[in-house]
Every structure is written in structure tokens, then in C-alpha cells.
Amino acid sequence: LRVRWALEEAELPYEQRLLGLGEQKAADYRRLQPFGQVPVLEDDGLVLFESGAIVLHIAERSPALLPADPTLRARARAWVFAALNSIEPPLQHLAEIDLFNADQGWAKARRPAVLERVKARLGDLTAALGEREYLEGQFTAGDLLMTTVLHIVRHTDLLRSEFPALDAYRARCESRPAFARALAAQMAPFALNGPAAQSA
Ligand SMILES: N[C@@H](CCC(=O)N[C@@H](CS)C(=O)NCC(=O)O)C(=O)O
């Protein structure tokens, strides 16, 4: 979704290639993505992995994602790293506890401290955003990645109940037409290949 959204914002055409069962961990695919994960971007002979690197690569080609001004570009890049390095790890940790380990004793013991860390980071992010619409005044690749990272805790009521300014920011970013196009494209293969299609 991150990559599709970036491509839609930059108005760059693309073709998707879905992976078959088992293909993701096969040696051929690991030559493209060393960890056997998605996404991968192939662009005119260049193979890129890691969603952040891919979004930045796309952003280099569009002022819709990286402003021309060098200072603003540097600040936008900083927000890309902030999203992936400072905000995503604690949110991911909470999601892994809640979605995959909720019944485990260690998860119950660990959750309060993880939740505190999540709240501290979201509080800092709220302060940094302040009254602005976007992190640097105009929408950038940093906002794109931050939005997808905030999405990780959608299984909780955290944003809506305790960080309404961030929830409004997330909704503002997700109301962009490019996001709607990316989401529709992301979901389309599930309708064709998902359980509902299999049982039809
Ligand atoms: N740091 C990687 C993480 C990618 C990632 O976690 N991909 C998931 C799907 S969204 C995946 O392929 N999971 C399967 C696995 O890790 O084996 C990135 O941002 O590209």
C-alpha cells in the first residue's frame, strides 16, 4: 500500500506482480528481497526492497512527495526515518502483542510498558505536528509513511480516544484521492483471490 500510494501521488504508472504460494521465500525471490518479504520495486533494471527506500526512490521523482527546496526535502526525509525508526517499532511491538500473543503470559506482563512507550511517542508526535495540516506544512513522503505507520494500531481505540489530533491528521492524509486509488488497487486482488472468491 505504501508503494502504491507513493506511485499514485507521483502519478507514475505501474504494473503489479503478485506472488504465488511459497514464492515469497524461494531463492529466486530472495535475490530480489533478501528477507523474503514484500514489497519489491523493479524500475528500469533497478531492484529495490524496503518500503521506505522504495517510497524515497519514487519521491525523488515528484515534488508531490519531496519539495524542491533543499531544506524542506531534508526535513521530509527526516520524517520518513522518524516514521520507520522512531514510531513504527513501538507500534509494531504493541500490534504483535495484541494480534498474535494476547494469551501469552509474557505478553500480558509486557503490554503495559509497551503501551506507555507507544503513548510517549504518539504524544511527542502530536506536539511536533502542532496545529499544522502536515508534518512540514505540505504533504510529503514523510506524511505518507507516518500515516501508514499510524494505521498499525487500528486494532485499538488509541488514536481516536487519546490522540484525536493524530487521528484527524491520519484521516486528512487518507482522504487524499491518491490514497483512495492506492487502497482500491491494493484490495482488488483480494476480491479476486481471497476466500470469498475461492468459495464462489
Ligand atoms: N521493513 C520491511 C518490512 C516488510 C514486511 O514486513 N512485509 C510483510 C508484509 S507487509 C511480509 O512480507 N511479511 C512476511 C515475512 O516477513 O515473512 C519493509 O518496510 O519493506
Side-chain angles (χ1 to χ4, degrees):
L1 182 60
R2 295 171 177 184
V3 175
R4 288 182 200 270
W5 190 3
L7 288 163
E8 292 289 351
E9 292 284 355
E11 297 183 10
L12 293 171
Y14 68 93
E15 282 173 25
Q16 69 178 5
R17 182 160 79 82
L18 304 177
L19 299 176
L21 205 60
E23 202 181 334
Q24 193 169 336
K25 298 297 171 189
D28 276 356
Y29 183 72
R30 281 182 191 272
R31 274 191 277 280
L32 307 180
Q33 215 293 3
F35 311 110
Q37 296 183 312
V38 293
V40 157
L41 180 78
E42 294 180 279
D43 179 20
D44 200 17
L46 168 70
V47 177
L48 267 187
F49 59 99
E50 286 296 333
S51 57
I54 296 171
V55 167
L56 272 177
H57 174 75
I58 296 164
E60 298 289 348
R61 291 161 60 175
S62 172
L65 289 166
L66 274 184
D69 177 76
T71 304
L72 284 179
R73 281 177 93 83
R75 295 279 308 176
R77 281 198 200 93
W79 282 115
V80 165
F81 283 93
L84 300 179
N85 236 3
S86 300
I87 306 290
E88 184 167 42
L91 270 58
Q92 190 70 36
H93 198 167
L94 184 66
E96 278 167 17
I97 284 178
D98 290 348
L99 301 178
F100 304 117
N101 298 287
D103 295 338
Q104 306 284 321
W106 66 262
K108 288 179 183 153
R110 188 89 185 93
R111 192 178 193 277
V114 172
L115 184 59
E116 275 318 298
R117 207 165 134 241
V118 166
K119 287 186 184 182
R121 283 291 150 88
L122 294 182
D124 291 343
L125 183 62
T126 303
L129 178 64
E131 300 295 315
R132 290 193 305 275
E133 276 197 298
Y134 300 113
L135 290 163
E136 287 299 321
Q138 74 173 77
F139 183 83
T140 73
D143 296 298
L144 185 156
L145 285 164
M146 194 63 81
T147 303
T148 61
V149 163
L150 292 176
H151 202 60
I152 292 171
V153 288
R154 64 189 176 280
H155 67 288
T156 72
D157 201 31
L158 206 50
L159 291 187
R160 198 166 44 244
S161 63
E162 296 190 45
F163 300 94
L166 288 185
D167 202 36
Y169 162 72
R170 179 202 55 75
R172 186 155 55 247
C173 293
E174 289 183 354
S175 72
R176 298 174 66 81
F179 178 82
R181 291 196 297 274
L183 186 60
Q186 176 81 2
M187 297 314 292
F190 289 96
L192 288 175
N193 300 304
Q198 305 295 323
S199 60

